Amino acid sequence: MTAQNSATAGTAIAVDTGRPSARRRGPGSGAVLAGLGVLAFSLTFPSTVWGLESFGPWSLVALRSVLAALIAGCALLAGRVPVPERRHWAGLAVVAGGVVVGFPLLTSLALQTSTSSHAAVVVGLLPLTTALLSALRTGSRPPRAFWAAALAGAAVVIAFTVQQSGGELSGGDLYLFGALLVCAAGYTEGGRLAGVMPGWQVIGWALVLTLPLAVAGALVALPSEPVRLTAHGIIGLVWVAAGSTFLGLYVWYRGMAEIGVPRASQLQLAQPLLTLVWSFLVLGEEVSGAAPVAAVAVLVCIAVTQRAGSRGIRRTGADSRVGS
């Protein structure tokens, strides 16, 4: 009896160590945190357009990464967070390449020729792309409803982009589709790492990892691209660095840890529509009638995939720990 009780106590300690109960404050606070993350993300494209008023795309991405990495480094030092184990650095490099470097750079290049509202509809496919890559990563088999909605959403996005570009895909759309893939890869790998360390530390260490490259990029890009400092440009730079890149991902991962991946993903479905609203209010863009229709259609398709996936996909490994 004594040995049995000892084994039971050991199991309880192992479970509690993996998921500290103090960090799970309940579904209400988790939904608020995840919602704040979505709100921060929805301002990324309008802020990038503002930032491009003062900086070139390469300079903007480099300065954005430098500022966000400095903020993340200060937060990690203040929290006395230990350096991750060596086996996690390859995954952190994927997160850094997809979320910190690839997505900001490709979307900044796209926004030189595409409007913020147009980009919002295309990137509205990001949750779906992430779900597809995650399914491939884990080897699980989604149900037929998942694939049907995935194909429908892809068809809507392709039809919208072709219609808006006069029958042909533009260079900006190619940048946006590339941004979808690299960001989805970063999210997928970040979700796996969030099973072994807090999500905000995942993005924090990914940012710190890119600091040397970001500093070198800023030193090269700033002299070779025009710099015209304006109030809009400075505000845009500060927001994409502090708001979108660090604080947005910080509250997003905290909320995701508390309410689970499926519920958090449902909240992110509002992001394209919010970006359309900000593009109209902040940038004064003329949103075409097709844009909100396409955005709503994409959201419906993604909602179906999320519901079908949460019911029919068996989570294993890190996904089961984060999304339970």
Side-chain angles (χ1 to χ4, degrees):
M1 295 295 291
T2 303
Q4 183 179 2
N5 291 340
S6 176
T8 302
T11 302
I13 293 174
V15 172
D16 290 340
T17 301
R19 289 193 306 174
S21 59
R23 293 184 181 180
R24 302 184 67 86
R25 294 175 294 175
S29 61
V32 171
L33 289 171
L36 290 174
V38 172
L39 181 62
F41 299 153
S42 69
L43 283 162
T44 299
F45 286 166
S47 299
T48 300
V49 172
W50 273 10
L52 290 173
E53 292 183 10
S54 295
F55 306 97
W58 296 89
S59 301
L60 180 62
V61 172
L63 291 175
R64 164 183 180 167
S65 299
V66 169
L67 292 178
L70 292 176
I71 295 172
C74 292
L76 292 170
L77 287 175
R80 298 182 180 178
V81 178
V83 176
E85 299 178 17
R86 182 176 298 181
R87 61 191 177 95
H88 297 318
W89 283 104
L92 289 171
V94 174
V95 176
V99 178
V100 180
V101 178
F103 184 80
L105 177 59
L106 291 172
T107 52
S108 295
L109 293 172
L111 286 171
Q112 289 186 302
T113 57
S114 298
T115 64
S116 176
S117 57
H118 176 89
V121 176
V122 178
V123 178
L125 203 58
L126 178 58
L128 173 59
T129 309
T130 304
L132 291 173
L133 288 185
S134 180
L136 293 174
R137 180 78 165 82
T138 61
S140 58
R141 294 188 177 183
R144 293 181 179 179
F146 182 95
W147 293 115
L151 292 174
V156 170
V157 170
I158 293 175
F160 171 77
T161 53
V162 171
Q163 185 269 334
Q164 292 291 298
S165 59
E168 296 180 357
L169 290 175
S170 65
D173 292 327
L174 296 179
Y175 283 132
L176 291 172
F177 284 123
L180 285 176
L181 293 177
V182 297
C183 189
Y187 277 175
T188 299
E189 194 64 19
R192 184 188 69 81
L193 289 172
V196 295
M197 68 178 74
W200 75 272
Q201 293 182 18
V202 173
I203 188 60
W205 286 115
L207 285 166
V208 170
L209 184 64
T210 63
L211 182 57
L213 178 62
V215 171
L219 293 176
V220 173
L222 283 173
S224 55
E225 290 183 331
V227 176
R228 299 178 296 272
L229 295 182
T230 64
H232 281 176
I234 298 299
I235 293 173
L237 171 62
V238 171
W239 179 258
V240 294
S244 300
T245 305
F246 181 73
L247 293 177
L249 287 169
Y250 170 79
V251 294
W252 169 252
Y253 280 126
R254 285 285 300 271
M256 184 177 68
E258 294 182 13
I259 67 175
V261 175
R263 286 190 59 191
S265 298
Q266 296 297 319
L267 293 174
Q268 196 174 21
L269 300 180
Q271 183 174 328
L273 294 180
L274 286 173
T275 300
L276 291 178
V277 173
W278 295 126
S279 299
F280 175 76
L281 295 177
V282 177
L283 303 177
E285 291 183 356
E286 294 182 1
V287 180
S288 66
V293 173
V296 172
V298 168
L299 295 183
V300 171
C301 293
I302 297 175
V304 174
T305 62
Q306 294 296 321
R307 292 193 182 95
S310 62
R311 295 174 182 174
I313 298 177
R314 181 177 179 271
R315 298 181 181 84
T316 58
D319 290 337
S320 62
R321 289 190 294 271
V322 177
S324 61

